[in-house]
Amino acid sequence: MSGFEIFWPVVAHVALVFMLYALLSIRRSAVVRAGKAEASQFRENRGEPSESLVVRNSIANQFELPVLFYACCVMLHITEADNIMSLGLAWLFVALRYAHAFVHVTSNRLRYRGPLFLAGFVTLAAMWAWLSLWMAMN
Protein backbone atom coordinates (compact mmCIF):
# COMPACT_ATOMS: atom_id res chain seq x y z
CA MET A 1 0.00 0.00 0.00
CA SER A 2 1.23 3.49 -0.86
CA GLY A 3 0.04 5.02 2.38
CA PHE A 4 -2.86 7.11 1.12
CA GLU A 5 -5.44 4.43 0.28
CA ILE A 6 -7.52 5.22 3.37
CA PHE A 7 -8.24 8.66 1.94
CA TRP A 8 -9.83 7.41 -1.30
CA PRO A 9 -13.05 6.41 0.51
CA VAL A 10 -13.06 9.91 2.03
CA VAL A 11 -12.72 11.43 -1.46
CA ALA A 12 -15.54 9.16 -2.67
CA HIS A 13 -17.78 10.38 0.15
CA VAL A 14 -16.95 14.01 -0.62
CA ALA A 15 -17.98 13.29 -4.23
CA LEU A 16 -21.34 12.05 -2.91
CA VAL A 17 -21.82 15.31 -1.00
CA PHE A 18 -21.04 17.37 -4.12
CA MET A 19 -23.49 15.26 -6.15
CA LEU A 20 -26.20 15.84 -3.55
CA TYR A 21 -25.59 19.60 -3.66
CA ALA A 22 -25.91 19.48 -7.46
CA LEU A 23 -29.14 17.50 -7.14
CA LEU A 24 -30.45 20.01 -4.59
CA SER A 25 -29.81 22.86 -7.02
CA ILE A 26 -31.55 20.99 -9.82
CA ARG A 27 -34.57 20.14 -7.70
CA ARG A 28 -34.88 23.64 -6.25
CA SER A 29 -34.71 25.17 -9.72
CA ALA A 30 -37.36 22.73 -10.90
CA VAL A 31 -39.81 23.56 -8.11
CA VAL A 32 -39.34 27.30 -8.70
CA ARG A 33 -39.94 26.85 -12.45
CA ALA A 34 -43.01 24.73 -11.71
CA GLY A 35 -44.40 27.45 -9.45
CA LYS A 36 -44.36 25.23 -6.34
CA ALA A 37 -41.99 27.59 -4.52
CA GLU A 38 -40.37 30.97 -4.74
CA ALA A 39 -36.60 31.32 -4.66
CA SER A 40 -36.86 33.49 -1.55
CA GLN A 41 -38.22 30.50 0.40
CA PHE A 42 -34.79 28.87 0.27
CA ARG A 43 -33.03 31.83 1.87
CA GLU A 44 -34.48 30.93 5.28
CA ASN A 45 -35.57 27.36 4.48
CA ARG A 46 -39.25 28.21 4.90
CA GLY A 47 -41.74 25.75 3.54
CA GLU A 48 -39.39 23.86 1.26
CA PRO A 49 -41.24 21.51 -1.10
CA SER A 50 -40.72 17.81 -0.44
CA GLU A 51 -38.91 17.32 -3.77
CA SER A 52 -35.96 19.36 -2.55
CA LEU A 53 -36.46 18.90 1.20
CA VAL A 54 -35.47 15.23 1.04
CA VAL A 55 -32.21 16.20 -0.70
CA ARG A 56 -31.51 18.93 1.85
CA ASN A 57 -32.11 16.41 4.64
CA SER A 58 -29.84 13.89 2.93
CA ILE A 59 -27.07 16.50 2.74
CA ALA A 60 -27.50 17.26 6.44
CA ASN A 61 -27.22 13.54 7.12
CA GLN A 62 -23.84 13.48 5.34
CA PHE A 63 -22.44 15.72 8.08
CA GLU A 64 -23.49 13.53 10.99
CA LEU A 65 -21.95 10.02 11.06
CA PRO A 66 -19.47 10.85 8.28
CA VAL A 67 -17.76 13.42 10.52
CA LEU A 68 -16.77 10.51 12.76
CA PHE A 69 -15.72 8.59 9.62
CA TYR A 70 -13.38 11.38 8.54
CA ALA A 71 -11.82 11.60 11.99
CA CYS A 72 -11.38 7.84 12.13
CA CYS A 73 -9.70 7.72 8.71
CA VAL A 74 -7.23 10.41 9.71
CA MET A 75 -6.49 8.63 12.98
CA LEU A 76 -6.12 5.28 11.21
CA HIS A 77 -3.55 6.88 8.93
CA ILE A 78 -1.65 8.63 11.73
CA THR A 79 -1.46 5.48 13.85
CA GLU A 80 -0.56 3.34 10.80
CA ALA A 81 -3.64 1.19 11.41
CA ASP A 82 -4.82 1.81 7.85
CA ASN A 83 -4.43 -1.72 6.57
CA ILE A 84 -6.57 -3.90 4.31
CA MET A 85 -9.17 -4.47 7.03
CA SER A 86 -9.69 -0.81 7.84
CA LEU A 87 -9.65 0.04 4.14
CA GLY A 88 -12.35 -2.56 3.45
CA LEU A 89 -14.48 -1.17 6.27
CA ALA A 90 -13.99 2.37 4.98
CA TRP A 91 -15.11 1.43 1.47
CA LEU A 92 -18.08 -0.49 2.89
CA PHE A 93 -19.11 2.55 4.94
CA VAL A 94 -18.97 4.80 1.86
CA ALA A 95 -20.91 2.29 -0.26
CA LEU A 96 -23.58 2.19 2.43
CA ARG A 97 -23.70 6.02 2.50
CA TYR A 98 -24.25 6.05 -1.27
CA ALA A 99 -27.04 3.48 -0.95
CA HIS A 100 -28.60 5.37 1.97
CA ALA A 101 -28.48 8.67 0.07
CA PHE A 102 -29.98 7.04 -3.03
CA VAL A 103 -32.94 5.73 -1.06
CA HIS A 104 -33.23 9.05 0.78
CA VAL A 105 -33.57 11.12 -2.41
CA THR A 106 -35.72 8.64 -4.34
CA SER A 107 -38.35 6.61 -2.50
CA ASN A 108 -37.27 7.78 0.98
CA ARG A 109 -38.71 4.55 2.38
CA LEU A 110 -37.60 4.00 5.96
CA ARG A 111 -38.00 0.27 5.36
CA TYR A 112 -34.85 0.44 3.22
CA ARG A 113 -33.16 3.54 4.59
CA GLY A 114 -33.17 2.41 8.22
CA PRO A 115 -31.25 -0.84 7.68
CA LEU A 116 -28.75 0.94 5.43
CA PHE A 117 -28.15 3.55 8.11
CA LEU A 118 -27.77 0.85 10.77
CA ALA A 119 -25.31 -1.09 8.60
CA GLY A 120 -23.25 2.07 8.12
CA PHE A 121 -23.38 2.78 11.84
CA VAL A 122 -22.17 -0.74 12.68
CA THR A 123 -19.43 -0.49 10.03
CA LEU A 124 -18.21 2.80 11.45
CA ALA A 125 -18.31 1.36 14.97
CA ALA A 126 -16.14 -1.52 13.70
CA MET A 127 -13.66 0.99 12.26
CA TRP A 128 -13.41 2.74 15.62
CA ALA A 129 -13.13 -0.61 17.42
CA TRP A 130 -10.27 -1.61 15.09
CA LEU A 131 -8.52 1.73 15.72
CA SER A 132 -8.95 1.34 19.48
CA LEU A 133 -7.65 -2.23 19.41
CA TRP A 134 -4.69 -1.20 17.26
CA MET A 135 -3.75 1.61 19.62
CA ALA A 136 -4.12 -0.65 22.67
CA MET A 137 -1.83 -3.29 21.11
CA ASN A 138 0.88 -0.86 20.05
Side-chain angles (χ1 to χ4, degrees), residues 29-105:
S29 294
V31 296
V32 168
R33 280 193 310 273
K36 294 181 179 180
E38 293 182 22
S40 63
Q41 287 177 252
F42 303 121
R43 182 176 46 238
E44 296 173 7
N45 292 324
R46 294 180 291 111
E48 183 152 358
S50 62
E51 297 94 333
S52 57
L53 180 62
V54 293
V55 181
R56 190 182 88 199
N57 289 344
S58 186
I59 291 169
N61 194 258
Q62 301 310 319
F63 293 97
E64 294 169 356
L65 271 186
V67 170
L68 297 175
F69 170 70
Y70 294 158
C72 189
C73 287
V74 169
M75 291 175 70
L76 285 164
H77 180 72
I78 290 170
T79 61
E80 298 180 355
D82 53 343
N83 58 20
I84 194 71
M85 185 165 104
S86 59
L87 187 60
L89 288 169
W91 277 114
L92 177 59
F93 178 78
V94 171
L96 290 165
R97 296 309 300 166
Y98 269 81
H100 180 268
F102 178 78
V103 171
H104 205 166
V105 302

Side-chain angles (χ1 to χ4, degrees), residues 65 89 92-93 96-97 113-126:
L65 271 186
L89 288 169
L92 177 59
F93 178 78
L96 290 165
R97 296 309 300 166
R113 212 176 92 208
L116 288 167
F117 178 85
L118 181 60
F121 177 85
V122 169
T123 302
L124 184 58

